[in-house]
Amino acid sequence: MATPPLADVDPSPGAAQTGLHARLLEQLGTAICSGRLVAGSVLYIDELVDRYAVSRSVVREVLRVLASMGLVDTRRRVGTQIRPASSWNVFDPQLIRWRLASGDRIAQLRSLTELRTAVEPQAASLAAERATPDAASDLVGLAAKMWAAGKAGNQDEFLRLDIEFHRQVLISSGNEMFVKLQELVAEVLTGRHHYELMPHHPDEQALQHHADVAQAILRHDGGRAREAMVHIMEQALNEMKSIWEQAGEPRRD
Amino acid sequence: MATPPLADVDPSPGAAQTGLHARLLEQLGTAICSGRLVAGSVLYIDELVDRYAVSRSVVREVLRVLASMGLVDTRRRVGTQIRPASSWNVFDPQLIRWRLASGDRIAQLRSLTELRTAVEPQAASLAAERATPDAASDLVGLAAKMWAAGKAGNQDEFLRLDIEFHRQVLISSGNEMFVKLQELVAEVLTGRHHYELMPHHPDEQALQHHADVAQAILRHDGGRAREAMVHIMEQALNEMKSIWEQAGEPRRD
DNA sequence: CTAGGCCAATAAATCTGACGTATGCAAGAA
DNA sequence: TTCTTGCATACGTCAGATTTATTGGCCTAG
């Protein structure tokens, strides 16, 4: 009932979305994630065809994708039912973006950060075992550049290097799932979703910890690499906490 | 060229697959994951329509789903291109199942286990902070039952309780992503995918560690909960290692 | 000979109408 | 009350047509 009327000639919400499929997917995906479409409620193909003025092909293809994400469940003679959040594939990048853009933003940010906190120390430890000498040297170099950028107060450059550093560590861990996870985190940190992000203070300690991680990996010292990374994560976790502890106020959508 | 001819009247590979959509999705998904369809190679809708004797609707809907998983990329005037493994959404449950059934089985098992090793200690720590008294008591009860089943040598029951125990810990962590992760792990452990799995020896130490985790959570002692869970993970990791270190032999597909 | 813009071939994107099919629900029988 | 049967329904699948974006070649101007 509270669903938007149509999206025929809507140019695009934030970033340009080309193609009817992508646009309808975005519409329905965000509607479900935001809770505008309540779990248990039912959609009908013909109804969507009318409401959004697109063909059945488009609607059906979108519903198939949403079903593969666990957002909906379509059955004969019943229609397409919205599934509860517990059924969603919360690791789907697309779904994560929708949730970050919705009211679940804080919860999603928290889940992702906690996951990162768990994974990166383990990744650092594995990297110490598996990193090639070249990769380890690159890490040491990156840490040095971070130090320079931090001292110079160059925040943009620092953020870029920071992300690159963590990416290299996760790649060196040799675990493809860790790498994919980092891509998600990087997207959030880059502010590609521009929600009020932390200023990202590079302080003395953080710089030292990054250097420690690089050194430990170079020396194949998994224990120290993990330990240093834990400290980095604690700091990141605290920064995030300051965000979501003050965040309880409502937002536009 | 090496792709199978058709799947029109193929009943089902392992488990019953109902509907043309599900069957074609399975076919293409496993073909890509197994490497039979090489990254970079191109498929055409009409070609698939002919080869599998299904309508364009079915093919298009399947390709949309595969695209949302990052397995393929379909562009106008070009066709549908198989994407490299680095682009895949390796957290998609469906994709994980395909990979577990393919030649990537060992690598997938390793990635998932390493991820689990990283996550569960963190989850135990968070659970110690957040678990309700009821949930914590249940955990203690579960640990006790595990002890009993372990002593009695009841392996099936032990496995069931083991999975339930870890599920409860992850649920109590309050992190939805952790829970989803556990669902994947449980699926593998249950042997629902029946690949030769470890015998799963419940030894004295493992039993003690589970009890320790439960006790620590009950007392809100995050540090000890994490520590005990680390021990459990080390043991699980070693069991897994014994699998993939001896596994280098070729398989049917 | 190179760079930039025009044009046609192509394969996906979208639309449309029809028919098949499983299935939830209710009416009727035991 | 319970079970069976039949029907209405909304998705599943099919077939064909049309539109549209893109690619790569071709041509002209520099």
Side-chain angles (χ1 to χ4, degrees), chain B residues 134-212:
Chain B
D134 272 4
S137 304
D138 286 354
L139 276 175
V140 174
L142 273 171
K145 283 186 195 164
M146 283 179 70
W147 192 290
K151 290 296 182 189
N154 190 340
Q155 288 219 354
D156 286 349
E157 176 71 357
F158 181 79
L159 179 58
R160 195 186 65 75
L161 289 168
D162 189 18
I163 289 175
E164 179 62 17
F165 181 89
H166 289 277
R167 202 175 75 90
Q168 283 301 332
V169 171
L170 293 192
I171 289 177
S172 297
S173 77
N175 186 314
E176 63 212 330
M177 300 185 92
F178 290 2
V179 176
K180 260 287 173 281
L181 183 61
Q182 166 61 11
E183 289 175 18
L184 295 176
V185 174
E187 208 174 295
V188 175
L189 291 182
T190 316
R192 198 148 127 200
H193 295 281
H194 39 72
Y195 317 108
E196 58 270 29
L197 280 175
M198 72 253 140
H200 208 79
H201 303 293
D203 66 19
E204 187 85 17
Q205 277 198 330
L207 294 171
Q208 185 58 53
H209 291 322
H210 280 81
D212 289 349

Side-chain angles (χ1 to χ4, degrees), chain A residues 82-157:
Chain A
I82 313 295
R83 300 183 72 184
S86 58
S87 301
W88 301 352
N89 291 168
V90 287
F91 285 96
D92 189 295
Q94 181 80 132
L95 179 50
I96 290 177
R97 287 183 204 110
W98 291 335
R99 295 192 61 192
L100 283 172
S102 81
D104 280 348
R105 185 165 82 246
I106 300 299
Q108 177 66 73
L109 216 48
R110 190 171 60 78
S111 297
L112 208 51
T113 304
E114 283 174 1
L115 183 58
R116 184 192 180 203
T117 303
V119 165
E120 295 217 25
Q122 169 80 349
S125 173
L126 288 175
E129 294 176 19
R130 300 172 180 168
T132 63
D134 272 3
S137 304
D138 287 354
L139 275 175
V140 174
L142 272 171
K145 283 185 194 164
M146 283 179 70
W147 191 290
K151 290 297 183 188
N154 189 341
Q155 289 219 351
D156 286 348
E157 177 70 358

